[in-house]
Every structure is written in structure tokens, then in C-alpha cells.
Amino acid sequence: MKTQIDSYLSDFMNEMLEHDDNYKEAIPPLLEQVRSTYHLDVVCITEPVNTASFYYLYVAYSQPTYNLTGQVVQLPPSQFEVALHMYDNSLLCINNEYDKKGAFPTPYNMHYGCVRGLNREFDGAICFMSFSPKEWSKEEQAALIKLGRLYRLILNMYIAKNINLDLYEERRQKEVMLLKAEHEHIRANEQEYRAEHDALTGIFNRAAFERITNSLRSNPHPLAFVILDIDNFKDVNDTYGHDVGDIILKKVAHTLNTNFRDSDVVFRFGGDEFTLILTNYKEDQKEFIVKKIKEINHRLSHLEADSSHCENACDTARELPPVSVSAGAAFSSGGYSDILFKQADSALYQIKKTTKGLCKIYGADSETPQHPGDSTPNGRS
């Protein structure tokens, strides 16, 4: 079937064959042409990192908010199984019912189409994304399949060998690295999970925080960093007991984990303190974070001890005391640093001195970062 993007694909192939050293520079413009032609929000190429995780290699987007370039997504086991089998009958997958649950910055469900690579593995894909209700036309599906063929032609090592030996060698080395990483992942999966997840709440712990923040120190993309703690948590423990306190910690962890995007990371830093890394957040989005903390506090003021989140410990109380969190946030134009931690910590300290249950953004009106005990990522009072 002839599509509106056939000429773009033809031009791209000619450029690749004539200048194969520079063909990668032509991929973003091609994706942008496709996105513009079909009025899409995102057109992207995903590449695998290891089992059940992938990153956005090339992304064309309609708004800066939708720029996912370089972000890594770790699929939970249930979603990974779905991803493995969604293409059983075809390389093409069209989905109009996926509920993002905060994975992308939009109020709509994500309507997407994917064409993956050659193997029956989770080996990357070309994706169309629309954040408005949509039915995919035959034209769009045909165009998506053609882009998928191009994806396999360029990135599949068997075909790439006949086009560009350097590209083939790069792909071969990458495949070897992925196989090694997958083998190590399988061997160490359970031990690694326990080492980096909090035993009580099930979210990432401080060890994971250290690993992930270290990996983000050289990241060129903007991010927001947030420190939160539960207001008057000692009084809750003293009044209701530690069993109820543990239930509240689980509830807070669950609320934080389900009210931000899948690409954001929530940590239990210690005690009643949590930290958040919000990827691709710029300082002009500070009001969104303040609003999010207000929404989270509204949910925490109406806690119920249901068994779905708290297991057997919830038998100790059917209604939980209302709680709130206070938060300090800071922004970085590129990557994580210790000063970012100190700035967020300083903002949290300031808000705790005045009005609890709110979020303060570190900025021009904030004091020089300081905290009793000279708080740092490695020694917080």
C-alpha cells in the first residue's frame, strides 16, 4: 500500500546508502516528518537495555514535555509478559486502551502502535503515540509497518552486515553485551532485588538511591529532585503503635509510587523519609510538583486499612489516622549532584519550620543550603 511517507523513506534510504557514516543524523528528521504528517504526539525508536527494560533512542515529539530521549523504562514482570506476547500473530501491535497511570504527562490514555524487530523477543520497536482518543487508519498502520521494516533493515545485524560492516560489528558487540547482562541479571535477580528494595514498602531503598543518582551525575537531561517526610510521624507511632505506623509507611509509599510517572523513581530513604527523582522536569514545571504534593496529601487524609496494599498488618485497624507529607524540591538543568540534594533538603527544612503539609521549591527566596547536622546524602540527621 502506498503511503504519504513513502517519499521520506526513499530519501532516507538513498542518503543512508550514499553516506552511511552519517545516516544516524537523518533518523530524527525522518521521525519528525512522520510525526507531522500524521499529527502524532510522539514517534520514537526504543532499544533494549536488558531483560524487561528499554530506553528511548530517537524521539520526535509535539511538545517539549513529551521528550523521552534517553529515558529508561523498567517493565514489571506482568507487563513484560504482555510485551512478549502482544505480537504473537503479527509484527504490528495497535493498542487504544492502555492506561498510562501517570507514565506520560497527559490526561489521556495513550493510543499507540508498535512494530518490533526480527525476533520473538523484546528487542526494540518503532512506536507511534497519540495522547488523544484515536482509531488507527489503514494508512497509518501501513506506514508503521514500513517504518518497522526500515528499523529491521538498519538495526538488525544480519541485514546490516551486508550494508555496513562497521554497523554490523557495533550491533554484534551490543548483542554480546546484552546476552551477558541478561545472564547476570537472571543469576542475581533475587539477590539484587532484595539489596535495592525496602523490605517493608517494596519500593527502592537507599542503596538503589546511591546507584541511580551516581548514574545520573553525567546525565545531560533536566530533572527535579524531591525530599519528603511524614509530618509528626513519631506522634503517630507513639499514639497508635508501630503496626499502624508500618501500615502508614506502606500507604505513603504506594501513594507516591502510583501518582507519578513510570519513568520517575521513588525511594524510601530511611525512617519516614522518601525521595523522588522526576526525569525531564524543568523549573517551569514547579507548579505541577506543588499540585501533585497537594493531591497526595488529600489522598493521605482519607486512608483506609484495606488488605490490598497492607496485607495482614491491616487487621490492626480498619481506619487509619490522617497523615500528611512535607516536601522540598529542587531542579537541575542536567543530571544529579550533591548540591541538588542540599537544595531540596534546605527547602524541606524551611517548610517544616513554617507550614507543614506543603511543598516548597528551592529558589531565589531560599536560604543558603543548610540543615542541623550539615545534612548530606551520606549523613542526614
Side-chain angles (χ1 to χ4, degrees), residues 142-155:
L144 183 53
I145 290 175
K146 288 187 177 184
L147 274 177
R149 289 173 183 162
L150 182 65
Y151 168 85
R152 284 180 284 152
L153 179 65
I154 296 172
L155 301 178

Side-chain angles (χ1 to χ4, degrees), residues 196 204-221 223-227 263-269 274-279 330 332 334-342 344 376-378:
E196 293 200 341
F204 278 131
N205 62 14
R206 187 161 178 165
F209 174 87
E210 298 291 347
R211 176 181 63 80
I212 292 175
T213 53
N214 283 335
S215 72
L216 290 173
R217 289 180 185 274
S218 59
N219 190 298
H221 299 291
L223 60 84
F225 179 72
V226 185
I227 304 177
S263 56
D264 301 327
V265 192
V266 182
F267 306 86
R268 184 184 177 195
F269 199 72
F274 298 82
T275 57
L276 303 171
I277 296 175
L278 310 178
T279 56
S332 165
Y336 176 84
S337 65
D338 290 343
I339 189 63
L340 192 65
F341 187 103
K342 292 181 179 180
T376 69
N378 296 316

Side-chain angles (χ1 to χ4, degrees), residues 1-11 30 32-40 128 134 136-147:
M1 177 179 176
K2 188 172 180 61
T3 70
Q4 298 179 59
I5 66 168
D6 285 5
S7 61
Y8 303 154
L9 299 178
S10 177
D11 292 343
L30 172 65
E32 177 56 29
Q33 287 176 314
V34 173
R35 190 205 63 74
S36 178
T37 298
Y38 296 112
H39 307 290
L40 298 164
F128 286 1
K134 182 179 185 65
W136 300 98
S137 68
K138 291 183 178 179
E139 155 80 12
E140 289 169 326
Q141 294 185 43
L144 183 53
I145 290 175
K146 288 187 177 184
L147 274 177

Side-chain angles (χ1 to χ4, degrees), residues 198 200-203 229-230 233 236-237 242-256 268 270-274 300 303 309-310 320 323:
D198 178 55
L200 176 65
T201 63
I203 65 174
D229 67 16
I230 303 174
F233 186 66
V236 172
N237 275 331
H242 288 280
D243 286 343
V244 171
D246 286 349
I247 295 172
I248 289 175
L249 286 170
K250 291 182 181 182
K251 286 284 192 175
V252 171
H254 176 78
T255 303
L256 293 174
R268 184 184 177 195
D272 65 323
E273 187 173 74
F274 298 82
L300 294 178
L303 290 179
H309 297 144
C310 301
L320 298 174
V323 295

Side-chain angles (χ1 to χ4, degrees), residues 52-286:
S53 67
F54 63 94
Y55 72 104
Y56 293 91
L57 180 61
Y58 298 105
V59 182
Y61 47 91
S62 60
Q63 299 180 30
T65 311
Y66 301 150
N67 183 9
L68 310 172
T69 307
Q71 289 193 27
V72 176
V73 175
Q74 177 73 46
L75 295 174
S78 59
Q79 290 187 17
F80 179 55
E81 285 298 316
V82 171
L84 283 178
H85 297 293
M86 64 169 55
Y87 303 87
D88 279 350
N89 298 320
S90 170
L91 289 176
L92 177 66
C93 171
I94 296 293
N95 194 320
N96 285 332
E97 299 176 351
Y98 176 61
D99 186 354
K100 302 175 311 307
K101 296 181 180 177
F104 291 87
T106 168
Y108 299 109
N109 287 345
M110 185 175 72
H111 301 255
Y112 69 93
C114 300
V115 176
R116 67 176 182 180
L118 188 66
N119 304 314
R120 291 290 179 188
E121 299 174 353
F122 194 77
D123 55 2
I126 292 277
C127 296
F128 286 1
M129 298 182 193
S130 172
F131 297 133
S132 299
K134 182 179 185 65
E135 290 295 328
W136 300 98
S137 68
K138 291 183 178 179
E139 155 80 12
E140 289 169 326
Q141 294 185 43
L144 183 53
I145 290 175
K146 288 187 177 184
L147 274 177
R149 289 173 183 162
L150 182 65
Y151 168 85
R152 284 180 284 152
L153 179 65
I154 296 172
L155 301 178
N156 180 265
M157 64 179 182
Y158 299 109
I159 303 175
K161 182 178 180 181
N162 297 320
I163 299 177
N164 187 318
L165 292 177
D166 292 337
L167 179 61
Y168 165 71
E169 181 60 22
E170 178 184 335
R171 182 69 175 183
R172 187 191 67 80
Q173 292 180 8
K174 184 177 179 181
E175 291 291 341
V176 171
M177 292 174 62
L178 289 174
L179 286 173
K180 288 182 178 179
E182 181 176 358
H183 178 68
E184 293 298 323
H185 176 81
I186 293 173
R187 281 192 354 180
N189 184 50
E190 183 175 352
Q191 181 178 357
E192 183 178 303
Y193 182 90
R194 291 178 178 176
E196 293 200 341
H197 286 76
D198 178 55
L200 176 65
T201 63
I203 65 174
F204 278 131
N205 62 14
R206 187 161 178 165
F209 174 87
E210 298 291 347
R211 176 181 63 80
I212 292 175
T213 53
N214 283 335
S215 72
L216 290 173
R217 289 180 185 274
S218 59
N219 190 298
H221 299 291
L223 60 84
F225 179 72
V226 185
I227 304 177
L228 313 93
D229 67 16
I230 303 174
D231 298 322
N232 305 315
F233 186 66
K234 182 179 183 300
D235 293 342
V236 172
N237 275 331
D238 291 345
T239 303
Y240 297 93
H242 288 280
D243 286 343
V244 171
D246 286 349
I247 295 172
I248 289 175
L249 286 170
K250 291 182 181 182
K251 286 284 192 175
V252 171
H254 176 78
T255 303
L256 293 174
N257 216 26
T258 55
N259 279 275
F260 289 93
R261 303 170 302 171
D262 288 348
S263 56
D264 301 327
V265 192
V266 182
F267 306 86
R268 184 184 177 195
F269 199 72
D272 65 323
E273 187 173 74
F274 298 82
T275 57
L276 303 171
I277 296 175
L278 310 178
T279 56
N280 272 347
Y281 269 76
K282 297 181 181 178
E283 192 163 1
D284 58 8
Q285 295 172 283
K286 57 187 178 183

Side-chain angles (χ1 to χ4, degrees), residues 350-361:
Q350 294 300 316
I351 200 67
K352 296 287 280 192
K353 288 197 306 182
T354 56
T355 305
K356 297 180 181 180
L358 297 175
C359 175
K360 182 176 179 62
I361 307 295

